[in-house]
Amino acid sequence: MPPPTATLSVPSSSSPSLFPLSSFSSSNNPHVSSFCPAPPTLPKFPSLSKPKTPLRNLTPLSAVSIEKETLISERPHTFLREADGGDDGSVRSRFQRMILEAQESVCAALEAVDGAGKFKEDAWTRPGGGGGISRVLQDGAVFEKAGVNISVVYGVMPPEAYRAAKAAADDQKPGPVPFFAAGISSVLHPKNPFAPTLHFNYRYFETDAPKDTPGAPRQWWFGGGTDLTPAYIFEEDVKHFHSIQKKACDKFDPSFYPRFKKWCDDYFYIKHRGERRGLGGIFFDDLNDYDQEMLLSFATECANSVVPAYIPIIEKRKDTPFNESQKAWQQLRRGRYVEFNLVYDRGTTFGLKTGGRIESILVSLPLSARWEYDHKPEEGSEEWKLLDACINPKEWI
């Protein structure tokens, strides 16, 4: 069963909690049940004023299994190891080229619509091969914070990181697992509360045989998605966004959009709140049951659809007048964004458990967010309508 839906109502002070903790179970979709496990139990966080556990101890030393990055002044031609053949037409090589080109096109479009902000770029490598390019625009005219990162990483996953990267219960490899991972990841937080946040991520994984099972076959899979997180609903904007996702999916398989749209609604579920992070889009993971060339083309099409899906919405909403109350609501929804990313997101978990570059991993977090005690929007208000759509996912097209 998918995460529960509910009728949104504003209870009195004597009513039970609006968002009761409820058991999470995966969808009837076999891919969701296989690869999207129930989110972990929400941990009890210590006092922020007197932390009991130093932050540096949250990632065990034994889990740090990729080499420390080194900042470089100029980006290299490739982040691939020489043993991979460089730009040889392999899937690794072509996926690297795709994410580099997508980063360029998305950043150019964002700078153009912002008009003032410019991306700061950090390029980095690791001694054993791999590296990445982190680009961040902060305090622009339109965007509070926009990050567009690419990475090509080699390493050895400890078992807990392998479970975060590939959550199939019947496919747990023993011991540390050598891996290759490449991807582009982006989160865009506009200043205007009527302009939506966007997240997209497309990635390719390969794992080699662990040392204690030599000769085991190499495994590969694709993952990713694009999803929209507004603070206010403009139905024409949401329909436009979803129509672009459907168009990209339909070029390859008409079952992709409904399947990946539901997967997105289920994945971005904040269990402890009883609501979704936003208004969805598409999401898929551990995808390897189609031809590899077809899936590479599909991931490329999805990445190339980001600009036409998002920029027209930003151009329409970036200058809309707003008041302090509407800005405060945006900040409350940003708080939900932070909660999901730090508690449930598999990409964040994987990065932290493999000793990834912290600035790149946490670039998704906004500059500002807000938490209010027991906040409930007035029933029938525009804020209430957004929350209702997050609790009860809709079919937008």
Side-chain angles (χ1 to χ4, degrees), residues 31-37 157-173 177-181 203 205-208 217-223 263 267 283 285-289 345-347 349-351 353-354:
H31 295 278
V32 177
S33 62
S34 298
F35 300 130
C36 287
M157 285 187 281
E160 62 268 28
Y162 184 79
R163 287 190 290 271
K166 185 173 176 63
D170 60 349
D171 189 27
Q172 301 299 328
K173 288 179 178 287
V177 181
F179 75 92
F180 167 87
R203 55 196 176 274
F205 268 85
E206 288 183 6
T207 60
D208 293 326
R218 171 179 288 178
Q219 297 188 18
W220 59 266
W221 65 91
F222 291 86
W263 202 337
Y267 178 76
F283 175 86
D285 209 355
D286 307 299
L287 202 62
N288 61 4
D289 52 352
D345 185 63
R346 280 170 54 183
T349 300
F350 173 79
K353 287 185 179 295
T354 55

Side-chain angles (χ1 to χ4, degrees), residues 243-263:
S243 69
I244 297 296
Q245 308 313 307
K246 185 177 186 300
K247 181 179 178 181
C249 290
D250 286 352
K251 289 183 179 180
F252 297 88
D253 189 319
S255 72
F256 276 7
Y257 174 74
R259 174 182 162 195
F260 297 160
K261 192 268 184 188
K262 185 179 188 308
W263 202 337

Side-chain angles (χ1 to χ4, degrees), residues 356-397:
R357 185 172 186 262
I358 296 300
E359 289 300 322
S360 299
I361 296 168
L362 300 183
V363 76
S364 63
L365 302 183
L367 288 184
S368 58
R370 182 183 181 98
W371 285 264
E372 289 184 15
Y373 178 75
D374 199 27
H375 181 275
K376 299 179 180 70
E378 181 182 353
E379 186 168 357
S381 66
E382 294 303 312
E383 293 80 7
W384 182 91
K385 291 176 184 177
L386 183 280
L387 187 54
D388 181 48
C390 290
I391 293 174
N392 302 293
K394 302 180 185 300
E395 298 301 323
W396 297 100
I397 54 175

Side-chain angles (χ1 to χ4, degrees), residues 47 49 78 89 102-103 141 177 183 228 251 271 290 353 366 380 384 392:
S47 167
S49 59
T78 181
Q103 185 185 47
V177 181
L228 196 69
K251 289 183 179 180
K271 180 182 177 182
Y290 295 83
K353 287 185 179 295
W384 182 91
N392 302 293

Side-chain angles (χ1 to χ4, degrees), residues 161-308:
Y162 184 79
R163 287 190 290 271
K166 185 173 176 63
D170 60 349
D171 189 27
Q172 301 299 328
K173 288 179 178 287
V177 181
F179 75 92
F180 167 87
I184 181 169
S185 181
S186 175
V187 178
L188 313 174
H189 294 295
K191 291 183 172 181
N192 194 303
F194 295 114
T197 287
L198 183 86
H199 160 260
F200 73 91
N201 174 294
Y202 293 98
R203 55 196 176 274
Y204 174 69
F205 268 85
E206 288 183 6
T207 60
D208 293 326
K211 292 180 180 180
D212 50 3
T213 56
R218 171 179 288 178
Q219 297 188 18
W220 59 266
W221 65 91
F222 291 86
T226 304
D227 61 282
L228 196 69
T229 305
Y232 290 92
I233 296 177
F234 293 92
E235 194 161 320
E236 64 269 30
D237 294 351
V238 185
K239 287 183 175 180
H240 164 79
F241 173 79
H242 277 270
S243 69
I244 297 296
Q245 308 313 307
K246 185 177 186 300
K247 181 179 178 181
C249 290
D250 286 352
K251 289 183 179 180
F252 297 88
D253 189 319
S255 72
F256 276 7
Y257 174 74
R259 174 182 162 195
F260 297 160
K261 192 268 184 188
K262 185 179 188 308
W263 202 337
C264 186
D265 289 336
D266 290 346
Y267 178 76
F268 291 105
Y269 178 66
I270 308 173
K271 180 182 177 182
H272 62 274
R273 294 287 187 181
E275 65 191 65
R276 281 79 186 165
R277 187 175 76 176
L279 301 185
I282 60 172
F283 175 86
F284 57 92
D285 209 355
D286 307 299
L287 202 62
N288 61 4
D289 52 352
Y290 295 83
D291 177 75
Q292 193 176 31
E293 292 293 328
M294 182 268 231
L295 292 177
L296 175 61
S297 297
F298 173 58
T300 302
E301 181 69 26
C302 290
N304 291 340
S305 298
V306 168
V307 169

